Amino acid sequence: MTRKPYRDDLQWWKSSAIYQIYPRSFCDSNADGIGDIPGIISKLDYLADLGIGAIWLSPVYTSPMEDNGYDIADYRDIAPEFGTLADIDRLIAEAAERHIGIVMDLVVNHTSSDHAWFAEARSSRENPKRDYYIWRDPAPDGGPPNTLRSYFGGSAWALDEVTGQYYLHLFAPGQPDLNWENPDLRAEIYAMMNWWLDRGIAGFRMDVIDLIGKEPNRQILNNGPRLHDYLKEMHRETLAGRNVLAVGETWEATPEMGVLFSGRSSKELSMVFQFQHVTCFWGDAGKWDPKLFDLVLFKKALNDWQRALASDGWNSLFISNHDLPRAVSRYGDVTDHWRESATALATVNHLMRGTPYVYQGEEIGMTNAGFTAIDQYRDVETLNHYEETVADGGDPKAFLAGAAANGRDNARTPMQWTAGKNAGFTAGVPWIEVNTNHATINVEAQTGDKKSVLAHYRTLIALRRSHKVISLGDYTP
């Protein structure tokens, strides 16, 4: 039977805060410069003291790491740099002892090109697993089938020389998209999900889940016509009857769509991550052309979702994650009002109706990385778009300014535990630079300080646990 994390009541996540860990950057136990599962286990007492109800774990599966684990080569094994299956079982068990559940990242829009399914699929056009992926003949001129673009830059189609067809990759070429129209593929995914649920995890965060209903011939990506059919089937085959969390990442969801995903009668997800409060500050060139912060626009985006799901459905509440800049840098003033900005944002996020998410380091007010050169970045998205910008004759300085404001590596610098070497993250050489302000912004410095950002987060999380009016009460702007 699946364990009920944190509390025994149904929908335990409504009174819990969820803490996201980016394993590569959280805590390194073996001095190889990469965070790992034993490192996470070593910090469970810290997380229990923070008061969280579950950990959302960014991918730790076997992967070539082209996109830092969001390119999965084996859903049922762990990448050696992170540990072993025995380590993940120990994490699940030791977290449970502290009444903390483990929520796994589920990446089923695509796999790695190193996955055994793709190796079979590209071996011949007749292979039974060929239809697990999306293949199309070249255009009459031999080029890509259509003009679909990858989110990471360039065409979304890559030519497979062996079979002479193009495969779809909405992200990196090493991340071929899965064909959800194939019922055998869906059955394999559901079996894998049940395998993890039976190990005792507390649920799934579902990466770019609104893309699984795509229809590439019609250039429909998000919210395709069969998306909700697939999610209802997934719920029926995996989630139904289990007291687990299912949160879907949905970049294009509107407030009106929220109830379709998470309403009482939807039988799909517990909630979705929506990004209206993020994308409303993107310019014509997207995230690389950030707009200035506008408080009224920010409030409107949050209030629109609160209003839409006031009587049905459920909100996820977040201001940062592994794909976004540090919230205090994006929405606050880190020069003159760093603490006030960090605590104000936390108060807003935690006192709305929904489930609050805390991204590692947010609870101590970690800031953007401050990178100034492209060789400081490690993220495939940033590197690809920089290369494309330069090749197209764009201004590299303008791009770097955009990356410094909105690039994903801002959130991926190592967790700042101490003022010491490498912020206490590793005894080795960290895979990405440590933020230089770790000397003043770190867990050790804030522990025991009743006026710290960390103390404020502890208070907010405790209030949600103890006062139903915060988790279940009406919200009025």
Side-chain angles (χ1 to χ4, degrees), residues 30 71 294 318 321 466:
N30 61 0
D71 48 325
D294 180 329
F318 72 99
N321 69 23
S466 58

Side-chain angles (χ1 to χ4, degrees), residues 334-364:
V334 297
T335 303
D336 298 316
H337 300 286
W338 161 77
R339 182 197 171 277
E340 294 83 356
S341 296
T343 53
L345 285 163
T347 303
V348 168
N349 197 51
H350 284 252
L351 297 186
M352 290 186 292
R353 192 170 187 271
T355 297
Y357 290 76
V358 180
Y359 179 69
Q360 63 182 50
E362 178 190 318
E363 77 277 16
I364 58 169

Side-chain angles (χ1 to χ4, degrees), residues 14-211:
K14 290 188 174 181
S15 58
S16 298
I18 315 297
Y19 189 92
Q20 184 192 357
I21 288 179
Y22 195 70
R24 180 171 290 268
S25 298
F26 190 65
C27 182
D28 172 23
S29 70
N30 61 0
D32 66 353
I34 298 171
D36 46 46
I37 297 169
I40 296 169
I41 293 171
S42 75
K43 299 297 185 181
L44 284 175
D45 286 341
Y46 165 78
L47 296 173
D49 187 52
L50 186 59
I52 62 162
I55 294 167
W56 154 24
L57 201 61
S58 283
V60 291
Y61 314 95
T62 301
S63 167
M65 299 294 165
E66 184 173 2
D67 188 22
N68 282 3
Y70 283 89
D71 48 325
I72 297 172
D74 188 343
Y75 289 104
R76 302 194 189 202
D77 205 358
I78 303 300
E81 55 262 63
F82 293 140
T84 64
L85 275 174
D87 288 329
I88 202 79
D89 287 339
R90 185 160 67 95
L91 174 62
I92 293 168
E94 294 202 19
E97 291 175 4
R98 295 164 175 84
H99 308 290
I100 295 172
I102 301 298
V103 175
M104 297 292 282
D105 218 318
L106 185 74
V107 188
V108 290
N109 174 71
H110 50 267
T111 69
S112 166
S113 55
D114 285 0
H115 198 290
W117 294 344
F118 193 68
E120 287 195 50
R122 75 192 316 179
S123 66
S124 78
R125 295 194 186 192
E126 288 71 41
N127 189 280
K129 287 190 170 55
R130 179 74 170 182
D131 195 44
Y132 277 25
Y133 296 87
I134 298 170
W135 302 88
R136 295 292 184 269
D137 290 328
D141 64 358
N146 61 30
T147 58
L148 278 176
R149 302 280 295 173
S150 163
Y151 292 111
F152 288 174
S155 173
W157 298 97
L159 180 63
D160 177 59
E161 300 286 352
V162 175
T163 58
Q165 283 188 315
Y166 282 85
Y167 66 86
L168 182 71
H169 63 89
L170 292 178
F171 296 92
Q175 294 171 286
D177 277 59
L178 289 165
N179 176 23
W180 270 73
E181 293 183 2
N182 186 308
D184 293 336
L185 167 73
R186 301 199 304 273
E188 294 234 34
I189 289 171
Y190 303 152
M192 173 269 293
M193 292 172 66
N194 284 320
W195 184 82
W196 276 107
L197 290 165
D198 290 343
R199 289 187 99 87
I201 68 168
F204 295 104
R205 175 268 183 182
M206 302 177 183
D207 187 64
V208 293
I209 200 65
D210 59 342
L211 293 177

Side-chain angles (χ1 to χ4, degrees), residues 13-16 18 245-248 250 253-259 261-263 269-277 301-318 349-357 464 470-473 475:
W13 55 86
K14 290 188 174 181
S15 58
S16 298
I18 315 297
L245 171 69
V247 53
T250 57
T254 63
E256 294 72 30
M257 293 178 186
V259 176
F261 289 107
S262 65
L269 304 173
S270 312
M271 69 193 85
V272 295
F273 288 129
Q274 57 79 24
F275 295 86
Q276 185 177 336
H277 61 298
L302 298 178
N303 289 338
D304 283 351
W305 276 85
Q306 288 291 301
R307 191 177 299 111
L309 300 184
S311 60
D312 196 9
W314 193 250
N315 275 295
S316 62
L317 310 173
F318 72 99
N349 197 51
H350 284 252
L351 297 186
M352 290 186 292
R353 192 170 187 271
T355 297
Y357 290 76
R464 175 168 292 273
I470 293 176
S471 56
L472 299 176
Y475 170 87

Side-chain angles (χ1 to χ4, degrees), residues 186-307:
R186 301 199 304 273
E188 294 234 34
I189 289 171
Y190 303 152
M192 173 269 293
M193 292 172 66
N194 284 320
W195 184 82
W196 276 107
L197 290 165
D198 290 343
R199 289 187 99 87
I201 68 168
F204 295 104
R205 175 268 183 182
M206 302 177 183
D207 187 64
V208 293
I209 200 65
D210 59 342
L211 293 177
I212 64 172
K214 70 183 78 67
E215 292 192 1
N217 289 358
R218 299 167 62 194
Q219 302 204 26
I220 295 173
L221 300 182
N222 304 86
N223 304 307
R226 294 194 63 193
L227 171 62
H228 293 285
D229 293 337
Y230 296 147
L231 291 177
K232 289 181 192 303
E233 181 183 68
M234 175 191 285
H235 183 278
R236 190 168 61 247
E237 296 297 324
T238 65
L239 305 171
R242 300 182 190 260
N243 189 25
V244 294
L245 171 69
V247 53
E249 182 188 33
T250 57
W251 277 86
E252 300 293 331
T254 63
E256 294 72 30
M257 293 178 186
V259 176
L260 296 177
F261 289 107
S262 65
R264 284 186 293 271
S265 62
S266 74
K267 298 290 189 286
E268 292 184 15
L269 304 173
S270 312
M271 69 193 85
V272 295
F273 288 129
Q274 57 79 24
F275 295 86
Q276 185 177 336
H277 61 298
V278 174
T279 57
C280 67
F281 297 114
W282 289 4
D284 293 338
K287 67 192 289 183
W288 313 111
D289 179 26
K291 296 178 182 178
L292 293 175
F293 178 64
D294 180 329
L295 178 59
V296 174
L297 189 62
F298 185 68
K299 288 170 65 177
K300 182 181 185 305
L302 298 178
N303 289 338
D304 283 351
W305 276 85
Q306 288 291 301
R307 191 177 299 111

